[in-house]
Amino acid sequence: MHILDLPFEILMLVFEWLDSWDLLRCAVVCGRWKDLALDAKWRGNLIDWVNLLQLLGPVERCKEDEYRWVTKPSINDAIMSTGWQRLDVLRKKITRLRVGIQLVSEDLEYIKTLQHATDSPYDAFFPNLRQLNVWFRGRSAYQYGFLAGESLQQFNLNWLFRGLGQTTTDWAGALESVALRSPMVKHIKAFESDSPFIDYGKFSRLRTLDHGGDLGVLSWIQICAGCPLLEEVKISQSQVRPFDETGIVSGPDTQELPALRNLDIRHGLITSYILRTTNMPQLRELDVGMYEFDALEVHYLLSRVRRRSPLLETLTLGGNSLEWDRFSSFSGLRDLTLFGQLNSCTTEDVEHIIEGLPNLARLGIASNVFCDRRKPPFTTAILETLAMRCQLDKLRIPLNALETSWESETPTPTAKFDRLIKLRLDHLHIKVNALVPFAKYLAQMCPTVDRFKPTLIHPHEAEPELEPSSMLTQEEWENGRVMEDVFLDAQMKYRSSGGSDRS
């Protein structure tokens, strides 16, 4: 059988594995392949802008950041060409587009002229486009507003060469262009912004916002005023700059995001302003860094959250001045993760937390230092306390196993976790000769765990005390993997013996 005689079903399976450029090459083989290739996966798949451009001719780099067509026929000749006819068909099918290269301005005007020869100047070049990803490398104004129209739902903008000639006007112009032509946008991701004021309030249908870079108080005020449907916000690297003082002083004392369910603010001084002024009655998940604040400020902000967001179920908090026992007042929490200075946390703090959180299913307590060699306050007894008093399915906690002798017969735990699926001991301070008996002890206590991750810290009596941020040694990495294997093997034996194997 000749390849051109393959059944329709087989050809479609083959075409589904090809990228957009290979499909375009298949489309010129014959009329039958053209119809199949142009229908194969243009709807719903992310298509690269450069592959479409090469339908009109080869593209070459002319500057460090810009490309252009090698030759450009006249408008009339181009419209009559096979390349434009294929492109004209495809552009109406594409729903997701990636722009990874920047054409020189005159070539962008050229393609606009081609479109206007057949369409209205007000029509989008891709009339059914729902997602647009742009990696913008230039230092000039945003020029891709003509690509999308009212069908656009998601806009992702990554501004490269951050800080090199980029201005507030650049960002404002890009979003102004998108908001003007695509008012139905629901999802925005914007990265590498050095422009603290960005008016996201122009997108009244916005549901999710992922902002990477500076974001000022005035921007947040516009978000609260113009985005009532917003459900999820993630902000990183935010700072309050001097001109934001005007927004702090003259802005509203109380504002609201009535539909917000998920707020993630990694770090930045704007955190205080958001939590102090914003009502979020539907908030379910809060992930926030408070490393810049003292204990009094942390307590004040959390009390505001507790009163204004009574439905909160998941709280992830990092800070240098955490008062660990404060979190028991969030009585509806099911998921609590705390990053702080562990030497200020006690076993009594943990017991107080779990006493006030009857629905707690996931608990994480960790150091805010990557490799903290300071001994944590928790001994292995805390595991049995948690097993008796909580119905956890996920647990992350540091442990000090140096205070207990594990060289004799493996002890039998007095309590077991019935639902625990994930267990992470980060960090586990333990001697090398205690790895096997302690792993067997854990296997009896955690029969349902299927994901176990220990990060080991061995004592170094003969060496000076290492800094808290020191990296793990090769021995500690390797012994961590050994302990995982011993735990899983002992757990399997324990299960097969009906829960009576103590070996």
Side-chain angles (χ1 to χ4, degrees):
M1 177 182 292
H2 194 275
I3 189 172
L4 295 179
D5 297 325
L6 286 174
F8 164 84
E9 293 81 6
I10 294 179
L11 279 176
M12 288 301 293
L13 289 174
V14 173
F15 286 167
E16 286 294 327
W17 288 92
L18 302 181
D19 61 27
S20 54
W21 178 237
D22 288 332
L23 283 174
L24 292 175
R25 296 174 67 185
C26 291
V28 301
V29 173
C30 63
R32 181 168 177 256
W33 277 35
K34 173 184 175 182
D35 294 337
L36 295 179
L38 296 186
D39 283 334
K41 62 176 184 179
W42 300 99
R43 295 184 186 275
N45 287 274
L46 192 60
I47 308 303
D48 202 308
W49 168 246
V50 67
N51 291 340
L52 297 173
L53 296 179
Q54 294 190 70
L55 285 171
L56 300 177
V59 176
E60 67 176 5
R61 176 179 291 180
C62 61
K63 296 181 182 178
E64 180 182 358
D65 310 323
E66 293 184 322
Y67 292 75
R68 69 180 178 190
W69 278 300
V70 176
T71 59
K72 294 194 295 288
S74 68
I75 298 299
N76 290 335
D77 290 344
I79 291 175
M80 299 301 295
S81 69
T82 303
W84 170 255
Q85 292 174 12
R86 292 204 300 268
L87 179 56
D88 194 39
V89 172
L90 285 178
R91 68 187 181 92
K92 298 170 183 176
K93 295 183 177 183
I94 291 173
T95 59
R96 301 173 67 215
L97 182 71
R98 175 177 57 232
V99 178
I101 71 167
Q102 181 177 345
L103 277 185
V104 295
S105 297
E106 54 266 29
D107 283 5
L108 282 174
E109 293 300 323
Y110 176 76
I111 199 168
K112 291 179 188 178
T113 305
L114 289 177
Q115 178 200 0
H116 297 165
T118 56
D119 294 344
S120 165
Y122 302 103
D123 291 340
F125 190 81
F126 297 97
N128 297 307
L129 195 66
R130 296 178 62 85
Q131 177 183 337
L132 176 59
N133 299 356
V134 178
W135 279 261
F136 194 65
R137 292 176 169 81
R139 301 173 178 85
S140 57
Y142 180 80
Q143 303 179 70
Y144 297 101
F146 73 99
L147 295 179
E150 293 188 354
S151 63
L152 191 67
Q153 301 282 304
Q154 180 172 339
F155 178 58
N156 303 332
L157 177 62
N158 194 328
W159 207 294
L160 304 181
F161 295 106
R162 182 181 182 189
L164 300 179
Q166 178 190 333
T167 67
T168 301
T169 305
D170 297 335
W171 270 95
L175 291 177
E176 182 85 30
S177 173
V178 175
L180 183 63
R181 299 190 57 120
S182 307
M184 306 300 289
V185 168
K186 296 180 180 179
H187 313 283
I188 293 180
K189 291 184 179 181
F191 299 109
E192 302 301 328
S193 167
D194 269 344
S195 304
F197 178 66
I198 299 177
D199 189 1
Y200 289 115
K202 295 180 181 296
F203 298 90
S204 61
R205 302 298 183 94
L206 196 62
R207 299 294 183 91
T208 64
L209 172 61
D210 188 347
H211 179 90
D214 287 338
L215 188 74
V217 167
L218 293 177
S219 294
W220 184 257
I221 292 173
Q222 295 297 330
I223 289 172
C224 292
C227 305
L229 304 179
L230 198 58
E231 297 177 354
E232 182 175 346
V233 175
K234 180 178 179 181
I235 305 172
S236 61
Q237 302 177 4
S238 299
Q239 302 294 327
V240 174
R241 296 198 173 189
F243 62 80
D244 275 325
E245 294 177 1
T246 303
I248 295 175
V249 173
S250 61
D253 295 331
T254 302
Q255 48 198 347
E256 185 167 339
L257 286 175
L260 192 67
R261 298 174 63 88
N262 189 338
L263 177 61
D264 184 341
I265 320 174
R266 296 300 173 87
H267 53 83
L269 299 177
I270 195 177
T271 301
S272 176
Y273 179 79
I274 291 176
L275 298 183
R276 191 171 66 249
T277 65
T278 311
N279 286 333
M280 299 171 281
Q282 296 299 319
L283 192 66
R284 300 299 201 280
E285 299 183 22
L286 176 61
D287 187 338
V288 60
M290 294 187 175
Y291 298 99
E292 298 90 350
F293 311 129
D294 58 26
L296 185 62
E297 178 76 0
V298 172
H299 174 60
Y300 170 73
L301 295 177
L302 289 178
S303 66
R304 303 282 285 188
V305 172
R306 184 176 64 252
R307 291 196 303 269
R308 295 180 173 189
S309 304
L311 302 180
L312 191 67
E313 296 179 347
T314 300
L315 175 61
T316 301
L317 179 63
N320 294 319
S321 303
L322 299 185
E323 295 186 5
W324 298 86
D325 60 344
R326 300 283 189 183
F327 306 99
S328 59
S329 57
F330 290 86
S331 58
L333 284 184
R334 294 182 52 80
D335 189 333
L336 175 63
T337 303
L338 304 173
F339 296 90
Q341 295 182 1
L342 292 177
N343 57 352
S344 65
C345 185
T346 66
T347 300
E348 290 73 21
D349 291 333
V350 176
E351 293 177 346
H352 186 63
I353 289 173
I354 61 179
E355 182 180 355
L357 302 178
N359 301 318
L360 191 65
R362 292 170 289 278
L363 175 63
I365 296 176
S367 172
N368 53 19
V369 178
F370 171 70
C371 180
D372 195 342
R373 291 187 171 273
R374 293 167 294 191
K375 296 182 181 66
F378 311 125
T379 66
T380 54
I382 193 67
L383 292 179
E384 299 191 11
T385 300
L386 291 171
M388 286 188 292
R389 298 173 61 178
C390 298
Q391 293 295 320
L392 299 178
D393 56 51
K394 181 179 178 181
L395 174 62
R396 175 184 180 181
I397 194 168
L399 282 182
N400 180 4
L402 300 173
E403 310 302 327
T404 305
S405 175
W406 298 95
E407 299 177 5
S408 58
E409 183 180 356
T410 303
T412 301
T414 59
K416 300 178 183 179
F417 290 100
D418 297 326
R419 301 179 182 178
L420 195 64
I421 303 299
K422 299 178 183 179
L423 175 61
R424 181 174 176 180
L425 302 181
D426 184 12
H427 300 85
L428 172 61
H429 292 251
I430 191 170
K431 295 180 180 179
V432 175
N433 59 5
L435 293 180
V436 172
F438 184 67
K440 292 180 178 180
Y441 166 79
L442 285 178
Q444 296 180 57
M445 182 182 292
C446 310
T448 58
V449 167
D450 61 14
R451 299 180 190 178
F452 174 56
K453 178 64 176 178
T455 303
L456 305 187
I457 299 290
H458 294 323
H460 296 265
E461 293 88 352
E463 301 177 10
E465 185 175 352
L466 299 177
E467 293 295 326
S469 59
S470 299
M471 299 294 290
L472 296 179
T473 66
Q474 184 65 28
E475 180 186 29
E476 289 166 342
W477 280 113
E478 293 175 354
N479 285 342
R481 292 192 290 268
V482 170
M483 188 173 184
E484 289 182 48
D485 294 338
V486 173
F487 170 83
L488 294 174
D489 182 65
Q491 187 187 63
M492 185 178 301
K493 292 179 179 179
Y494 182 72
R495 288 174 177 173
S496 63
S497 66
S500 60
D501 187 0
R502 295 174 49 192
S503 64

